[in-house]
Amino acid sequence: MENVFVITPIFNEKENIPRLIKSFQDITEKFESKFNFIIVDDGSTDGTIEEIECLKGNLNILVLDYGCNKGPGYAFATGFEYLKDKITPNDIVVTMEGDNTSRIETLHLMIERLKREKVDCVLASPYAYGGGITNTGFLRTFLSHAANTFIKEMLGIRGIHTMSSFFRVYDARLIMKLQEVYQPRILMMNGFESMIELLKKIILLESSISEMSMKLDTSLRAGKSKMKVMKTIFGYFSLYFKQKDWKSKYEFYNSNK
């Protein structure tokens, strides 16, 4: 039986924790795999950690807490680093949001596709055929579409609909290879742009990527998004200047194998 490691960053998500824990319970009941839930707290001050400890019951949940707010990229990097000596080639790694916008029913399909098609990574995409975004303001939806289009051109990414979604399923061998090339934390960007950094690095490794359509319903989230629009836009621009370094590291890795 394979292990599935689920990395979920959180920041002041106390209101969302009961539904998140319930979704974790649903996952363990619907799958035969052994699930390991790694919640990375990014400096919550609203009692989020206490709420997790109160509700987790018998779930296999580990909370990693570094005591300050550094951004979702730093949180994901902390989760990846934790997995360094714990995953095996037969395992699966999942990254997902902590605000309940990751749909659990989609996760089942993503894991099945990863296994069936033997791809390295499956992305949940509201932009793929059959997906969609509901209960989201026009401005944020417009910015999301515009950012997706701009990033594809800026980073030369083709054939992929969604760039920045947290909700992904990875073959553990891909994570292990990324750690060999880019160090155990894999990511260097601390903000929301880190997911695009990770996608670009996966592409540089010439790994196989598939997309699963998903209905994104932001009404499932209690409270507001933690994304700061202007800060994230500046982060997107910075990716352009980093990609040459990422390519060089992969080329150096290949030349020394």
Side-chain angles (χ1 to χ4, degrees), residues 25-146:
Q25 291 170 338
D26 291 343
I27 290 172
T28 58
E29 292 172 3
K30 291 179 180 178
F31 291 86
E32 295 181 357
S33 307
K34 179 182 177 182
F35 276 82
N36 306 270
F37 300 102
I38 303 157
I39 296 179
V40 187
D41 185 70
D42 189 37
S44 296
T45 57
D46 66 343
T48 291
I49 296 179
E50 291 79 3
E51 188 76 355
I52 294 169
E53 294 299 328
C54 179
L55 298 176
K56 71 177 184 180
N58 294 324
L59 287 171
N60 184 18
I61 294 178
L62 171 70
V63 177
L64 302 179
D65 174 21
Y66 41 80
C68 57
N69 179 238
K70 295 192 174 183
Y74 191 93
F76 276 124
T78 300
F80 288 137
E81 186 175 39
Y82 171 79
L83 293 182
K84 171 60 180 171
D85 300 316
K86 297 174 177 63
I87 53 177
T88 72
N90 295 321
D91 295 332
I92 292 172
V93 177
V94 177
T95 57
M96 62 185 290
E97 289 87 347
D99 61 6
N100 297 306
T101 55
S102 297
R103 301 180 70 92
I104 302 309
E105 58 268 31
T106 306
L107 178 60
H108 175 76
L109 298 174
M110 294 167 71
I111 290 178
E112 286 302 309
R113 178 172 291 186
L114 186 84
K115 293 179 179 179
R116 184 178 65 253
E117 298 183 2
K118 299 187 183 302
V119 294
D120 298 310
C121 177
V122 179
L123 315 176
S125 173
Y127 302 114
Y129 180 78
I133 302 176
T134 59
N135 297 306
T136 301
F138 171 78
L139 178 59
R140 186 167 289 276
T141 302
F142 172 78
L143 287 172
S144 179
H145 280 285

Side-chain angles (χ1 to χ4, degrees), residues 158-177:
R158 300 287 183 270
I160 296 174
H161 292 89
T162 189
M163 302 286 108
S164 57
S165 172
F166 287 4
F167 197 13
R168 301 174 180 177
V169 173
Y170 311 83
D171 186 304
R173 286 167 290 193
L174 172 59
I175 299 299
M176 295 167 74
K177 186 173 182 180

Side-chain angles (χ1 to χ4, degrees), residues 182 188 204 241-250:
Y182 298 110
M188 62 180 294
L204 287 172
F241 301 99
K242 304 287 186 182
Q243 60 179 329
K244 289 184 180 179
D245 182 51
W246 303 334
K247 183 178 181 180
S248 295
K249 285 186 178 180
Y250 180 55

